[in-house]
Amino acid sequence: FQGEKSFLQKYGPYYLNGAKYTILLAFVGVLFGLIFGSLLALMKLSKSKILKALAVIYIEYVRGTPLLVQIFIVYFGTGVIGLDLSKLLAGCIAVSLNSAAYVAEIVRAGINAVNKGQMEAARSLGMNQKEAMRYIVFPQAIKNILPALGNEFVTIIKESSVVSVIGVSELIFQTGVVQGASFKPFLPYVLVSLIYFVLTFCISRLLGLVERRMGLND
Ligand code: ARG
């Protein structure tokens, strides 16, 4: 009868809202992760022992501690020093800082995977180190880096669910809300798993397409 709405009609907007924040977190995380991660990778590849050590310590520490703890550290840590960050901003920062460590390794591996002969050939043609990096090594490294970066995006879509612990209203947080409002314990989580799956599946398909395209241009 009138007024009776289906589950999806009632709670769809919650999921939609959550998906918005999940995608935002992933986007911001990978973007700033890429910027900061590239910097870390260059530090790790540099000749300066200090820069190298700093990069290695950061990368190992971040990859060796749970994202959950890092989120708490950023959220409560900024509070302790008197910064009143919003939950969303704290979540974005934590995810970006986390992603940077993983992206740093992606970038470093991508650069290292370019055959040494490429650098040697460029140098023997009269290019200096910088030019050789810029015109010969980087363009080839990009082909190794981009696909892995896509995977990182998929990872962050899933891992951003942890940010729900500080109350950022992404997908998992919203699922909890729906669970409470609907008195249904199970269905909301089945639904959210489907949403995550559709997101990650679409993204990996898209990546596969882009990858094949880049392969053709070789
Ligand atoms: N589940 C991991 C943890 O809790 C986070 C992994 C993040 N991975 C990434 N590629 N950014 O430590």
Side-chain angles (χ1 to χ4, degrees):
F1 52 84
Q2 273 222 329
E4 192 67 68
K5 286 185 183 168
S6 75
F7 190 88
L8 264 186
Q9 277 176 324
K10 242 175 166 167
Y11 300 113
Y14 291 82
Y15 287 109
L16 217 63
N17 228 330
K20 245 175 24 198
Y21 282 105
T22 292
I23 292 170
L24 178 75
L25 277 163
F27 204 76
V28 170
V30 171
L31 182 65
F32 287 95
L34 178 62
I35 295 170
F36 187 36
S38 302
L39 208 81
L40 283 168
L42 292 181
M43 282 167 68
K44 196 168 170 180
L45 290 171
S46 88
K47 288 184 195 100
S48 156
K49 280 223 169 79
I50 302 170
L51 288 182
K52 205 184 232 170
L54 285 175
V56 169
I57 290 169
Y58 181 87
I59 292 167
E60 294 302 322
Y61 195 77
V62 169
R63 296 206 310 168
T65 52
L67 175 60
L68 179 64
V69 177
Q70 293 160 14
I71 290 167
F72 280 139
I73 286 182
V74 169
Y75 186 51
F76 295 122
T78 49
V80 163
I81 60 172
L83 282 175
D84 187 19
L85 298 189
S86 73
K87 295 161 184 178
L88 180 62
L89 185 57
C92 283
I93 292 175
V95 169
S96 302
L97 289 178
N98 177 274
S99 190
Y102 290 87
V103 172
E105 287 301 272
I106 291 172
V107 172
R108 187 193 54 81
I111 290 173
N112 277 346
V114 176
N115 197 308
K116 256 175 87 180
Q118 295 289 318
M119 172 60 90
E120 285 162 6
R123 295 302 299 277
S124 74
L125 286 173
M127 290 188 187
N128 61 34
Q129 173 99 18
K130 257 206 187 112
E131 288 169 336
M133 265 293 186
R134 176 148 160 46
Y135 296 111
I136 306 296
V137 176
F138 275 138
Q140 298 182 72
I142 292 285
K143 286 198 177 174
N144 307 323
I145 293 169
L146 271 184
L149 218 54
N151 291 335
E152 175 68 12
F153 190 71
V154 169
T155 302
I156 303 282
I157 288 270
K158 294 183 289 174
E159 293 286 340
S160 65
S161 55
V162 187
V163 177
S164 61
V165 295
I166 56 170
V168 176
S169 53
E170 45 65 76
L171 273 171
I172 289 299
F173 184 89
Q174 296 285 16
T175 308
V177 174
V178 172
Q179 196 187 27
S182 65
F183 302 109
K184 290 190 196 305
F186 179 56
L187 183 62
Y189 282 104
V190 175
L191 251 174
V192 82
S193 74
L194 286 175
I195 296 173
Y196 274 116
F197 180 71
V198 167
L199 282 177
T200 56
F201 188 75
C202 289
I203 295 167
S204 15
R205 276 301 151 104
L206 214 73
L207 288 172
L209 216 82
V210 173
E211 239 174 282
R212 246 168 292 138
R213 278 240 171 150
M214 289 200 320
L216 284 180
N217 290 338
D218 237 352

